[in-house]
Amino acid sequence: MTALRSFLQGPTSFRRRLLIFATTAFFIVACVNFANLSLAPQPLGLDFHTSRATTPSDPDKQTVLILTLVRDHESWGRGRSFHDFLSLVRGFDYPMSNIRIGVLASDEKEFDAITKYVQQLPATDLYPRTHVILRKKDANITRGERKGDNVQRDRRRLLARLRNFLLYSTLRDEDSVLWIDSDMVKIPSDLLLRMIDSGKDIITTATKFGPTGGFYDLNAWVGERITPSAEEQKVIEQGGLFVPRPKAVKYTHELQQEFGPLDSVGGTVLFVRGEIHREGVAFTTNYVIGTGWKHEGYDGIESEGLCYVAGFLGYKCWGMPRAIAEHSDN
């Protein structure tokens, strides 16, 4: 008691320094405990990730984060599942130790199916990190309606939001990001390595419907697009619908070079250098071209807006017309 009484009656500056020290120490301990809590495994049903001890990444090759979105089990294509998606990824001529996987599902049943599948995989079939996220957001658009002009704004706005959520939740120190649509069925085995070795910023490839169908990804183009008339601009500013469409463009499959310049890319198979995403180049959630403070623009949403934003930072988009990937034909 005598010592405590002496401390309380001692110099004010000493008591203040001691109080500050004690408060700081308490704050540091609290932060460490919170960090440890946030790094603990997340409850199944919201966020699931698994890591495994593995052979070190090949230091001579980049690390790549491969990302995909699924709405529900139909998103993989008829008769397909997450198993088939992993088989597609394993087809790359690229070391498994340098690949990480990220998946966002909008349906809880599909989220559970994916996480249970990952949990039963033998250690030899696991990637160094697999991250699965449940994000229950839906534009209430059926698969049969999703190509209609009247739903594209809402559909692609949602896709942009989900892509960005997945990206920001999973990207760590990876050198590159490869986006693959969940219902892609065939990709050239050397494509990933060719994209990386090119040294280019943002790259997409030509995509067909199955082995014999037409070309699919018409969001990847170079050229000129329609701009709204004065009357159409008034409709836009009042929240009405304007449908962006080509005026004089070439699509990826119509380019002649191995790598041809693009003004816009699609998301079927899309390569982005990691630093570009980290600098804020993401998927635009509104039509950015022609936008005002209080109204949306008329073009450049989701993957099309990505190239628009990247261009102002000095980055360029490219298409690979000779490397043809295949999309599910159903």
Side-chain angles (χ1 to χ4, degrees), residues 114-135:
I114 296 169
T115 54
K116 289 175 182 176
Y117 180 82
V118 173
Q119 288 173 318
Q120 59 84 38
L121 285 174
T124 53
D125 288 345
L126 283 172
Y127 286 91
R129 179 165 56 89
T130 301
H131 197 150
V132 189
I133 296 170
L134 174 64
R135 185 72 170 165

Side-chain angles (χ1 to χ4, degrees), residues 249-285:
V249 305
K250 284 186 176 182
Y251 298 106
T252 301
H253 66 276
E254 296 174 321
L255 303 176
Q256 300 301 314
Q257 311 95 313
E258 180 183 4
F259 291 91
L262 291 175
D263 292 322
S264 170
V265 293
T268 55
V269 182
L270 177 63
F271 173 88
V272 184
R273 288 199 290 114
E275 66 178 290
I276 298 174
H277 271 323
R278 290 187 184 91
E279 289 183 8
V281 177
F283 299 89
T284 53
T285 55

Side-chain angles (χ1 to χ4, degrees), residues 44 50 67 82 101 109:
L44 193 66
T50 180
L67 299 177
F82 181 60
I101 303 290
K109 288 183 179 179

